[in-house]
Amino acid sequence: MARTPSNMLPLGTEAPDFKLFDTVSEQIMGLAELKGIKGTVVMFICNHCPFVIHVNPEISKLAKEYQKKGIAFIAISSNDVNNYPQDAPHLMKKVAKNENYTFPYLYDETQEVAKAYDAACTPDFYLFDTDLALVYRGQLDDSRPGNGIALSGRDLRNAMDALLEEREINSNQKPSIGCNIKWIAG
């Protein structure tokens, strides 16, 4: 299990736009139509990464709780499916159903979106405000597979709460740790 940290895109960065295939609805969807009224979480995940598998229950729980408060959740998988067929779009749809995702699970076939976000690992979390300016990036919480720390979503939850309550978001943010994005060779 490779332990790759987030690249930590600079705070204030505007969310790069995209239009990608949603494996759940089987429609092309873009940031403009998916963004939330109060904020938007963009997360880079995949099907097979043990770090993502570990946090899936908390991702689903947070999405259900915060979507009601006006924060949209968008999941994107950018892995090379030729070398990692377990991350193929038809299997993404199965994972979304099995994990009770209440958000789109988009497929970034060209990996251009991952590059635009400077995404490095799965999971990699980004929280944008109503103007799509980056206010948080980094880890979900301190829990990792096998470290004995319970999932809480604390870091992302604190950032979302501060955003909703119009409080300053702590700029001391820890990078996420996970499997590296599986880049297409060439």
Side-chain angles (χ1 to χ4, degrees), residues 134-174:
L134 185 65
V135 295
Y136 177 82
R137 76 283 194 250
Q139 69 176 13
L140 181 69
D141 57 32
D142 290 321
S143 184
R144 304 285 184 270
N147 76 356
I149 298 172
L151 284 167
S152 67
R154 186 190 71 209
D155 294 55
L156 181 58
R157 180 183 295 276
N158 288 344
M160 290 188 295
D161 287 342
L163 179 65
L164 290 169
E165 295 164 14
E166 298 180 6
R167 291 184 285 113
E168 187 172 336
I169 297 172
N170 186 345
S171 61
N172 183 17
Q173 301 171 3
K174 294 180 187 175

Side-chain angles (χ1 to χ4, degrees), residues 57-130:
E58 192 64 25
I59 290 171
S60 291
K61 181 179 168 185
L62 283 175
K64 287 180 182 98
E65 182 179 343
Y66 283 88
Q67 285 169 325
K68 294 175 192 167
K69 299 177 182 184
I71 295 181
F73 279 65
I74 304 165
I76 301 172
S77 179
S78 301
N79 279 356
D80 171 7
V81 299
N82 290 323
N83 289 311
Y84 297 87
Q86 63 271 47
D87 289 329
H90 70 284
L91 297 175
M92 291 169 60
K93 185 173 185 166
K94 280 186 182 177
V95 167
K97 185 176 185 208
N98 292 342
E99 295 296 335
N100 297 310
Y101 289 172
T102 55
F103 45 83
Y105 191 9
L106 309 176
Y107 176 47
D108 179 19
E109 183 176 12
T110 66
Q111 302 185 319
E112 288 176 19
V113 177
K115 289 173 185 168
Y117 279 76
D118 201 18
C121 60
T122 57
D124 216 345
F125 297 93
Y126 302 81
L127 173 63
F128 297 92
D129 66 14
T130 55

